[in-house]
Amino acid sequence: MTADGANGAFQDRNRRSWGRVARRPHKVASPRFRDEVQAVLVGGCQSYKSVLGVGLGRSYSDSCLNPDGAVVDTTALDRLIAFDGESGVLRVESGASLWDILEFAVPRGFFLPTTPGTRYVTVGGAVANDVHGKNHHRAGTFGNHVLSLGLMRSDGQELRVSRDQNPDLFQATVGGLGLTGLILWADLKLTRIPSSHISQQSIPFHSVSEFFDLACESERDFEHTVAWVDCLSAGDNLGRGIFSRGNWSEVGSLTNEPARNRLSIPFDPPAMALNQFSVRAFNEAYFKLNKARAGESTVKYGPFFYPLDAIRHWNRMYGAQGFYQYQSVVPPNVARDATAEMLKEVSHSGQGSFLAVLKTFGDVKSPGMLSFPAPGATLALDFPNRGEETLRLLSRLDRVVDNAGGRLYPAKDGRLPPEQFWRGYPDAETFREYVDPKFSSEFWRRMIAG
Ligand SMILES: Cc1cc2nc3c(=O)[nH]c(=O)nc-3n(C[C@H](O)[C@H](O)[C@H](O)COP(=O)(O)OP(=O)(O)OC[C@H]3O[C@@H](n4cnc5c(N)ncnc54)[C@H](O)[C@@H]3O)c2cc1C
């Protein structure tokens, strides 16, 4: 089949990423079977400046966009290929979503070794961003549980990459932002679970310092830890929030959650609907409500890991201008001060939204050259896009992160200064040697232009 062939035809389609800041015209092909991919990819590389494999577009900005070139949408390559019920090793096509895996695995007593905050991401996307979850301090990143990958380069050659076979290319591909080739399939080691429920504890905290004390105290006994932080609170309330920690419950059934999300944001609300007054009021109410409800409970895995999956198109709530997510990690020795400084900046600016997450990363080494997680604290904040005003705030946050010796998460970024990227990722120069010359993205062009 050629790039113009029936199933692999590249068609004109507008694409945007999860933050909805920009919509760009793309050439998109969607192969349905693995044996179609070679012709599509080679044809695309001949016809267009560059190609990029993409999944469900849950990255917030331009790392999953390639408007000057073409993209290969992998979401129809969604088959589970083989499973060993003894070892928990699953071979799966790269376009399968985490939800596809959970539907199969949970009733059999298995779960993903680690999971991001949405199950609507593909395996290829999870590998290419080396995603992390609430159990980073125990399990490390997604890539820590990938045994091997099938990777197709632009010349149509399929390589097997693992810690033993083509190990350098494996390290470049895990967390490699899709730039080393198209991931066709992955062998993942799933983890056993006793039930599909989590025994969780919810604890209010009143300062950044209290958060760090709780995180430190919880790491030994709790597999999952995370906190919501009120990013608009100030003064004595600066850095208050709700800490949540939990373990798999030993009792309970092994049942899946229905994938349907009952709530939906059907259209773009006016940008004014979300302003500092409404967010402050919401945060105040949320903190008080959760403080009153603090304590222990047993919950299904869905609301625990994927609360936002319950609302379809929640990314529309920021209005037609979209939003930025800003996720940083700063090293442990400066984490308290840098986190407090960032929260002060955000609170003072009056920007920011309800969605603000604070978590500590442990010291399990990430396998990827460009993996984002590193020991320390990670703060993820959403900001409605208010143009220059927002960009100025993000630049102020950049300075805090940079001075702290931290870095930003490319999966979330849409405006990171290139020099800060190269400083934050010391292995990025080595990584460059493994980038397939026909693969590119808007993010990557921004970084290498700088
Ligand atoms: C609500 C929400 C919560 C989130 N929570 C977390 C979290 O807790 N932790 C975290 O780490 N991330 C989190 N994310 C980010 C998300 O997990 C990542 O952006 C993930 O990579 C998205 O996967 P995707 O299938 O949508 O891939 P896309 O966004 O389409 O692509 C992501 C990257 O993967 C590459 N890629 C995709 N498929 C392939 C393939 N087959 N071969 C080669 N490259 C490929 C693309 O080129 C791109 O660079 C969250 C996102 C949302 C929307």
Side-chain angles (χ1 to χ4, degrees):
M1 187 189 308
T2 69
D4 299 312
N7 294 330
F10 280 87
Q11 292 169 346
D12 290 314
R13 235 183 277 165
N14 282 326
R15 282 182 65 86
R16 51 183 171 190
S17 53
W18 195 245
R20 302 172 86 239
V21 170
R23 187 170 58 174
R24 304 256 194 268
H26 278 77
K27 301 284 179 193
V28 184
S30 309
R32 288 175 303 167
F33 300 99
R34 263 175 292 148
D35 61 11
E36 293 174 358
V37 175
Q38 188 182 47
V40 170
L41 191 60
V42 173
C45 291
Q46 285 163 357
S47 306
Y48 305 108
K49 276 192 203 158
S50 64
V51 292
L52 182 72
V54 294
L56 282 162
R58 260 34 179 211
S59 298
Y60 283 64
S61 193
D62 53 2
S63 63
C64 62
L65 300 178
N66 191 29
D68 274 357
V71 300
V72 178
D73 173 344
T74 60
T75 52
L77 304 171
D78 61 354
R79 296 165 194 85
L80 310 189
I81 302 169
F83 181 63
D84 179 339
E86 282 301 308
S87 64
V89 175
L90 174 71
R91 178 165 295 184
V92 60
E93 287 186 344
S94 62
S97 69
L98 301 187
W99 171 236
D100 292 327
I101 295 177
L102 294 176
E103 264 194 310
F104 169 84
V106 170
R108 290 169 175 79
F110 286 92
F111 203 78
L112 298 158
T114 186
T115 176
T118 172
R119 59 199 134 182
Y120 300 121
V121 312
T122 61
V123 168
V127 173
N129 274 322
D130 197 13
V131 299
H132 58 270
K134 295 177 179 182
N135 61 352
H136 182 273
H137 58 284
R138 288 269 176 95
T141 61
F142 198 81
N144 285 109
H145 308 274
V146 173
L147 304 182
S148 56
L149 298 167
L151 182 74
M152 188 167 282
R153 303 278 284 182
S154 56
D155 59 6
Q157 196 191 6
E158 183 180 337
L159 299 172
R160 196 183 167 118
V161 300
S162 68
R163 286 168 187 77
D164 304 318
Q165 275 178 287
N166 302 302
D168 294 348
L169 195 51
F170 178 76
Q171 285 172 36
T173 300
V174 173
L177 304 170
L179 298 165
T180 62
L182 190 90
I183 300 165
L184 294 172
W185 54 265
D187 281 343
L188 310 175
K189 185 146 171 52
L190 302 183
T191 190
R192 283 188 191 275
I193 47 170
S195 76
S196 51
H197 294 67
I198 298 281
S199 301
Q200 74 155 7
Q201 294 178 7
S202 194
I203 307 164
F205 57 90
H206 301 85
S207 67
V208 171
S209 209
E210 241 183 82
F211 160 81
F212 279 98
D213 292 346
L214 270 168
C216 183
E217 154 202 325
S218 306
E219 278 177 9
R220 207 194 58 194
D221 296 332
F222 294 89
E223 181 177 350
H224 306 285
T225 65
V226 74
W228 168 79
V229 60
D230 177 356
C231 70
L232 290 185
S233 57
D236 287 350
N237 287 328
L238 183 87
R240 72 177 175 182
I242 305 293
F243 192 88
S244 152
R245 59 191 189 187
N247 288 315
W248 287 103
S249 168
E250 291 298 327
V251 290
S253 57
L254 285 163
T255 44
N256 258 310
E257 317 281 320
R260 245 174 281 118
N261 12 42
R262 286 181 218 107
L263 301 171
S264 170
I265 298 189
F267 56 85
D268 293 343
M272 289 300 289
L274 210 77
N275 55 45
Q276 62 167 304
F277 305 106
S278 59
V279 175
R280 271 187 215 282
F282 187 90
N283 282 5
E284 177 74 26
Y286 185 83
F287 181 76
K288 284 197 172 138
L289 183 73
N290 280 281
K291 193 172 170 178
R293 279 191 191 156
E296 292 188 26
S297 56
T298 300
V299 292
K300 293 178 181 172
Y301 78 80
F304 184 79
F305 290 115
Y306 313 116
L308 286 171
D309 284 356
I311 308 169
R312 274 181 76 206
H313 307 304
W314 66 259
N315 55 341
R316 288 182 182 163
M317 83 179 160
Y318 296 98
Q321 303 307 314
F323 68 107
Y324 289 99
Q325 183 166 109
Y326 190 92
Q327 184 166 1
S328 58
V329 59
V330 290
N333 56 330
V334 288
R336 285 177 195 240
D337 288 348
T339 304
E341 207 177 330
M342 282 191 273
L343 288 172
K344 249 184 233 161
E345 280 287 1
V346 177
S347 166
H348 183 69
S349 75
Q351 300 188 59
S353 90
F354 162 75
L355 292 170
V357 174
L358 182 56
K359 150 137 200 80
T360 47
F361 283 149
D363 52 13
V364 181
K365 193 169 163 29
S366 305
M369 294 176 188
L370 285 194
S371 296
F372 161 70
T378 181
L379 179 63
L381 303 158
D382 280 7
F383 297 101
N385 174 19
R386 300 201 187 118
E388 277 306 311
E389 188 191 351
T390 310
L391 294 175
R392 275 198 299 274
L393 167 65
L394 301 187
S395 296
R396 292 200 294 278
L397 298 181
D398 285 347
R399 279 199 286 281
V400 180
V401 175
D402 215 16
N403 290 339
R407 62 190 181 205
L408 301 187
Y409 192 5
K412 310 286 179 81
D413 171 64
R415 31 62 55 205
L416 160 68
E419 58 283 6
Q420 193 165 348
F421 168 77
W422 295 102
R423 268 198 301 279
Y425 289 88
D427 292 336
E429 278 299 347
T430 312
F431 167 78
R432 256 178 119 153
E433 295 166 26
Y434 298 93
V435 172
D436 186 306
K438 285 301 287 186
F439 276 66
S440 188
S441 67
E442 190 158 68
F443 172 84
W444 189 237
R445 286 191 287 280
R446 271 200 297 124
M447 294 306 119
I448 56 178

